[in-house]
Amino acid sequence: MNMFLAALLFILGIVLVIKGGDWFVDASSFIARAANIPSFIVGATIVSFATTMPELLVSVMASLEGKNDMAVGNAVGSVTANTGLIMGIAIVFMTIVTPRVSYLKQCIILVVAGVILYIGSLSGTLAPWAGTVLIIVFIIFMVINVLSAKSQKNADEKLIVTKNDIIKNIVLFVVGAAGIVLGSNFLIDGGSAIATALGVPERVIAVTMVAIGTSLPELVTTITAIRKKESSLSVGNIIGANIIDLSLILPICTFVSSGTFAVSRQCLNIDLPACIIICLIAVLPMIIKEKAYKAQGIIMLLAYAVYLFITI
């Protein structure tokens, strides 16, 4: 595969993943509400899970093809990009106040998930006990989401559903899911071909181009939040997506890899430490001072730039 075709395939994959993810989230939310599932349940579980579907499917597809570096790089790299790049931009351009009662549990869960993933991978493979603990962390996070949303819910408005709405959203659900799956394959194949053409490891493409590509929905959400001055929307979305990326994706990859999932030495020495350090820079001021600082955002962006420089 020549470089032009590989790049075209990669870009097409990003477009399909993003647009497919958008349709999938909207349709999932509609179908759940049409089935009379309370809105707080929809927002706290279905939407949270659906927004990380691109990263999940890209990593799972890569794992099924035996491209573990691509799978790990995408999962961990997406968290690093979400935090260092996207949250860094949000903090620089918005005044972010984070009441400890609203963010403490989520911030702690994020850091704990990263540490467990790192310790559980020190042997060169993700240990079964670590995968199990990470799944438990994911369940705890979802339970906290539901309880928090339930305590803050407003009276649900009755959703008026027509036959055309149902048909439209079922089609969007199927087409969106297909777009994510097809786009994931294009991303992986295009990314692998680009890595081969450039003579660099697949991991480098995964933690840079693929990770940033699958994080574009969070970037769009952040830009929208900046424009509407909704800081909690951006920060909450990024932290939630990061927790799901760290606690769910790699355990599932381990399962589809027949219980053995290799984690490269480069990931252990560079990617995971960078991910944890950047997450700590992001959450510690929010936990201690209950706010984020512009200087903190600049440091996060610089840290991400240094990470990319070291990686490339």
Side-chain angles (χ1 to χ4, degrees), residues 110-126:
L110 174 60
V111 175
V112 166
V115 171
I116 291 170
L117 182 58
Y118 178 75
I119 294 174
S121 302
L122 285 174
S123 64
T125 60
L126 182 60

Side-chain angles (χ1 to χ4, degrees), residues 3 191-201 205 209:
M3 188 66 172
S192 297
I194 290 171
T196 300
L198 295 177
V200 300
I205 299 297
M209 297 170 64

Side-chain angles (χ1 to χ4, degrees), residues 164-188:
N164 286 339
D165 288 334
I166 294 172
I167 293 173
K168 173 187 173 183
N169 281 279
I170 289 175
V171 170
L172 284 177
F173 181 88
V174 174
V175 172
I180 297 173
V181 173
L182 187 61
S184 298
N185 277 312
F186 287 169
L187 262 178
I188 295 161

